[in-house]
Amino acid sequence: RRLDRVAVWLLPASAFGAFICLGLGQMTLDVTAACVAVCLWAESRITLASMAVWVGCGLIALLKPSLSAPFLLVALLRTGWKQRIAIVVVYLALTLLAAAYQSADLVLLIRQWLDNGSKVVSSNDFGYSNLNWWLTQLGAARFNIVASLASLALFGVWLLARRNGSVIVAIGAAAVVSRLWTYHSSYDDLVIVVAMATLAHVAGRSTGRKWRWMAVGLLILNGLAGLNLL
């Protein structure tokens, strides 16, 4: 068991995306860690300290909403109203504070943010292997936003249907949705490590041989994909 845990902890360092992430100064490593933490802390006993840690992790995760949105769905559906209200109020307050130092008003800033995002996800020059990129390749880029929001909504329905299930499995599923639901470049491949760790968890704890070997097979496929061998 100890060697299994060591292997899982070594996954981020061995992932191809980690090298690119650190080399380009991207926040994927920090945001991914915060995403996992905010999901794990979602069901913790409410104290002032635990709420402060949870909101702090949520704010770090929100530095990159394109990566953290599925994880935040997991966390928000598993936590109480106090935590939900706290993170929304704090995030809105920080957004207004940041906007106060900009020359443009908040509405224009949000509009420019959405326009720039649409241009990026509709371009063939950026990103790969995600829902927006596939739609663009098919000449259906105008459906990018609708398709992304629909995929998040479907994931939310799935989470509601199994709200009493394992949070570890929910986190692993969120990692897959996070990588596919909208534009990502190679540095965000690091988030798949979370899904790989979940598969390792399932493989180690499953009592059925069929499910255990299925999890091991998927884990190997994920590793080969990360090495560009598939």
Side-chain angles (χ1 to χ4, degrees):
R1 290 292 182 182
R2 183 175 298 177
L3 288 176
D4 293 344
R5 293 177 181 177
V6 171
V8 170
W9 280 106
L10 288 175
L11 280 175
S14 63
F16 177 68
F19 173 77
I20 302 176
C21 174
L22 295 174
L24 296 178
Q26 288 290 326
M27 300 179 294
T28 306
L29 188 59
D30 312 81
V31 170
T32 301
C35 287
V36 174
V38 79
C39 291
L40 294 176
W41 275 72
E43 298 175 329
S44 63
R45 187 170 60 89
I46 301 176
T47 63
L48 184 61
S50 66
M51 182 175 289
V53 171
W54 190 83
V55 171
C57 290
L59 292 176
I60 294 174
L62 281 167
L63 289 173
K64 197 163 189 178
S66 60
L67 191 73
S68 62
F71 292 98
L72 291 174
L73 270 179
V74 174
L76 292 174
L77 290 175
R78 286 176 172 266
T79 193
W81 285 104
K82 291 182 179 179
Q83 293 96 316
R84 296 172 189 171
I85 294 173
I87 194 170
V88 170
V89 170
V90 174
Y91 186 70
L92 288 177
L94 291 176
T95 300
L96 292 173
L97 178 63
Y101 290 91
Q102 304 296 319
S103 57
D105 61 82
L106 181 59
V107 175
L108 179 59
L109 288 172
I110 294 176
R111 186 177 299 169
Q112 290 174 342
W113 171 53
L114 293 174
D115 289 342
N116 290 335
S118 298
K119 291 177 182 177
V120 169
V121 300
S122 299
S123 172
N124 289 323
D125 299 327
F126 301 96
Y128 71 103
S129 296
N130 58 73
L131 185 58
N132 296 154
W133 186 80
W134 290 325
L135 287 173
T136 300
Q137 296 297 309
L138 295 172
R142 62 186 180 277
F143 298 115
N144 278 339
I145 295 179
V146 174
S148 292
L149 293 178
S151 64
L152 274 185
L154 289 173
F155 181 57
V157 171
W158 181 79
L159 289 174
L160 285 173
R162 58 175 315 281
R163 68 179 68 182
N164 296 321
S166 169
V167 67
I168 301 297
V169 174
I171 291 173
V176 176
V177 175
S178 174
R179 180 60 184 82
L180 298 177
W181 82 284
T182 190
Y183 157 81
H184 289 294
S185 192
S186 54
Y187 42 75
D188 286 336
D189 288 348
L190 186 61
V191 74
I192 295 299
V193 168
V194 178
M196 295 174 69
T198 299
L199 288 171
H201 172 82
V202 173
R205 293 179 178 269
S206 177
T207 56
R209 180 175 296 181
K210 180 181 70 174
W211 293 108
R212 181 179 300 176
W213 281 109
M214 185 179 295
V216 170
L218 289 172
L219 181 62
I220 293 173
L221 287 174
N222 266 296
L224 293 176
L227 294 171
N228 291 325
L229 295 179
L230 292 180

